[in-house]
Amino acid sequence: MDARYWVVTASADHAARGRQWGIVQAGHGKAAPLKRMQAGDGVVIYSPRETMAAGAPLQAFTAIGRIAAGEPYIFDMGGGFVPWRRAVVWQPGTGHLPIRLVLDQLDLTRGQKAWGMVFRYGLMEMTRHDFAVLARGMLAEGDKALPPAHIDLQ
């Protein structure tokens, strides 16, 4: 089965924690979005803000990787919040890629005046082309000498 490609909407601070922990959550911890993903699928996080809710605007892609083997699982974060998670192998050495640099290159947003609406549901499938554009851009913003170990740039 061919890989699919996903963009998850999450604040940059949540993306950073996800990278640190090797996980992704989507839709405020819902299981259904994560169950659509399969091992080997590409995943990118788009962060409209630096922090959830009232954070400063960022509008950048902040993490990119591949879904790891295994099924979604529940994790008790305390305080009654028990979200579903999925393991991810995040690509190291990438930087934040402002969306304005690639708006007209992405199938997802090209020609759309209200491009931000694409990201409002928390999870959206994207094309292989879009994933490759984002991977190249994020690697260029990070460590240019680092080979893309887990990212397919074709």
Side-chain angles (χ1 to χ4, degrees), residues 11-123:
S11 61
D13 63 328
H14 285 188
R17 282 195 296 263
R19 284 180 72 152
Q20 177 184 355
W21 298 336
I23 60 104
V24 69
Q25 293 176 191
H28 302 288
K30 293 184 176 118
L34 300 179
K35 289 181 178 181
R36 286 184 265 176
M37 299 174 173
Q38 299 296 318
D41 283 359
V43 63
V44 177
I45 295 183
Y46 170 72
S47 298
R49 298 187 170 279
E50 290 180 1
T51 59
M52 197 166 93
L58 183 60
Q59 298 181 330
F61 296 95
T62 54
I64 188 167
R66 291 279 184 176
I67 300 298
E71 296 298 319
Y73 61 93
I74 294 175
F75 184 83
D76 188 344
M77 294 187 71
F81 185 47
V82 186
W84 285 82
R85 293 179 167 181
R86 186 122 203 185
V88 176
V89 178
W90 293 111
Q91 176 68 35
T94 58
H96 291 187
L97 178 63
I99 193 169
R100 296 212 182 270
L101 298 179
V102 293
L103 276 174
D104 291 334
Q105 298 174 47
L106 300 176
D107 296 330
L108 200 58
T109 57
R110 187 180 306 121
Q112 293 192 35
K113 289 183 181 180
W115 56 264
M117 298 303 284
V118 169
F119 303 103
R120 71 180 175 186
Y121 294 113
L123 178 73

